[in-house]
Amino acid sequence: MTSPPAVSRLDALEARLASAETRITDTHARLDAAQDELAVLRIVAAYSPRVDSGDAEGVAELWTADGVYDVDTGVLEGHEGLAGMVRGDAHQGLIAHGCGHVPGLPVVLLDGDRAVATGYTQLVVRSSRPGRYTVMRVTANRWELQRLGPVDAPDRGWRVVLRTARAVTDDGEGRGLLGRSREG
């Protein structure tokens, strides 16, 4: 038979073990969320260098096969629509002249296998004056993403389902998108 002090010590050890297991589980959950947020930020950040280098396939693969880019100049659907925009004359003219889609750090909200990132992009173009650049437009962006692939993949399976982009002008649409930055 075990003496009362030994039972008390055993109970204390079991309680400490249970507490440690709970802390480890909580830590894993927080680490998973941080990894997901980082993966979403990387996907959003990958758009600019890909689009500014003319990497049509690289841009398209950030989206789901049926993903949508709803920009105030038109709606692009699926990989072909996205790649077509990058290969198009208007975009090719911009990158040939010299431009950069400069993103700001978005606010990312996670909800299981869905995420939303809200922020800004500035389109900066080379000026006709040597060494000068001009901000051509400031755009509010809302990226809606879904995890469709394995969590152990480098991108943790995230893809863009819908990106809505509106110029920040006096019509209020851009401000309206930014105003949804707390909505998942």
Side-chain angles (χ1 to χ4, degrees), residues 17-181:
L17 178 60
S19 174
E21 288 173 346
T22 299
R23 286 193 316 271
I24 289 169
T25 300
D26 291 347
T27 300
H28 279 286
R30 287 193 310 271
L31 180 58
D32 281 344
Q35 288 177 313
D36 283 335
E37 186 167 344
L38 180 58
V40 167
L41 288 169
R42 285 180 173 165
I43 286 176
V44 171
Y47 176 80
S48 294
R50 291 181 187 188
V51 78
D52 292 334
S53 67
D55 180 2
E57 288 72 28
V59 168
E61 71 186 23
L62 297 172
W63 269 258
T64 60
D66 60 348
V68 175
Y69 182 10
D70 177 4
V71 65
D72 47 23
T73 57
V75 177
L76 308 168
E77 297 182 354
H79 286 178
E80 282 305 311
L82 290 153
M85 177 272 298
V86 176
R87 290 188 199 107
D89 291 341
H91 186 74
Q92 288 298 310
L94 274 173
I95 61 178
H97 181 74
C99 76
H101 290 75
V102 182
L105 186 63
V107 174
V108 176
L109 301 175
L110 299 170
D111 184 14
D113 288 339
R114 296 193 173 277
V116 174
T118 305
Y120 293 95
T121 306
Q122 295 181 45
L123 176 56
V124 180
V125 295
R126 187 172 56 85
S127 171
S128 56
R129 294 172 52 189
R132 298 280 179 104
Y133 286 81
T134 302
V135 175
M136 187 172 182
R137 81 184 252 150
V138 176
T139 305
N141 299 279
R142 180 176 170 91
W143 303 73
E144 298 178 27
L145 301 94
Q146 184 173 359
R147 184 196 323 272
L148 299 173
V151 206
D152 57 350
D155 59 16
R156 295 188 52 87
W158 291 101
R159 290 291 175 274
V160 179
V161 175
L162 171 64
R163 177 185 176 191
T164 307
R166 296 292 182 267
V168 179
T169 65
D170 58 357
D171 70 8
E173 285 188 66
R175 254 187 339 275
L177 272 183
L178 296 172
R180 295 176 58 201
S181 67

